[in-house]
């Protein structure tokens, strides 16, 4: 049980297209996929790097969490995502330890089944847990 690996690091950006152009020019990085995630109010791009990914998040909903993050903090690291075997079991285990959760149960996300831990419980860092989607 516990964390298997870092799944991805997410960066909030104003423009995925501009950011992909910059990362391509600087580091020869390319997005493997880009898709809208309506329930999270974002367009997301996944860029594979070794055994992990970089996720770019561009707000599509001006009242959504990523839009608010950009307004308050500007572009930058938004969250880190850890891959776990069972998101629901990890969320239950963490709740039993008194950890403040954003999600009490896992939900569908771009990385598979996901759940978020409140930054107040992790030294100011928003942490996402992800369980691989069934093949």
């Amino acid at each position: 049980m516990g964390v298997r690996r870092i799944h991805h690091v997410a960066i909030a950006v104003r423009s995925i297209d501009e950011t992909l152009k910059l990362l391509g020019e600087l580091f020869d990085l390319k997005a493997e996929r880009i898709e809208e995630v309506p329930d999270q109010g974002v367009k997301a791009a996944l860029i594979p790097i070794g055994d992990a990914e970089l996720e770019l998040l561009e707000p599509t909903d001006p009242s959504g969490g990523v839009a608010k993050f950009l307004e308050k903090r500007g572009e930058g690291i938004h969250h880190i995502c850890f891959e776990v075997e069972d998101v629901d079991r990890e969320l239950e285990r963490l709740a039993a330890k008194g950890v403040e959760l954003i999600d009490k149960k896992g939900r569908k996300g771009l990385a598979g089944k996901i759940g978020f831990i409140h930054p107040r419980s992790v030294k100011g860092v928003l942490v996402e847990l992800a369980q691989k989607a069934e093949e």
Side-chain angles (χ1 to χ4, degrees), residues 35-78:
E35 63 183 73
E36 295 233 3
V37 187
D39 65 314
Q40 293 180 27
V42 296
K43 178 166 83 169
L46 294 175
I47 304 165
I49 303 174
D51 192 33
E53 293 175 316
L54 192 58
E55 179 181 53
L56 304 179
L57 299 172
E58 176 186 316
T60 57
D61 176 358
S63 64
V66 173
K68 290 177 184 174
F69 177 92
L70 281 170
E71 188 177 304
K72 184 176 180 181
R73 299 196 175 129
E75 294 181 302
I77 293 177
H78 183 263

Side-chain angles (χ1 to χ4, degrees), residues 26-124:
L26 295 178
F27 307 112
D28 198 30
L29 296 175
K30 294 174 181 51
E32 187 172 80
R33 68 181 177 154
I34 300 172
E35 63 183 73
E36 295 233 3
V37 187
D39 65 314
Q40 293 180 27
V42 296
K43 178 166 83 169
L46 294 175
I47 304 165
I49 303 174
D51 192 33
E53 293 175 316
L54 192 58
E55 179 181 53
L56 304 179
L57 299 172
E58 176 186 316
T60 57
D61 176 358
S63 64
V66 173
K68 290 177 184 174
F69 177 92
L70 281 170
E71 188 177 304
K72 184 176 180 181
R73 299 196 175 129
E75 294 181 302
I77 293 177
H78 183 263
H79 69 267
I80 186 166
C81 177
F82 297 131
E83 183 179 302
V84 297
E85 184 177 330
D86 185 319
V87 166
D88 289 323
R89 191 167 44 212
E90 280 298 304
L91 291 171
E92 285 177 27
R93 186 183 70 76
L94 292 167
K97 290 180 174 256
V99 172
E100 186 177 353
L101 303 175
I102 292 172
D103 296 304
K104 307 288 186 240
K105 289 252 183 234
R107 59 185 163 99
K108 186 179 180 333
L110 199 56
K113 188 175 190 179
I114 63 166
F116 281 92
I117 302 168
H118 200 286
R120 282 190 291 263
S121 291
V122 198
K123 301 290 185 185

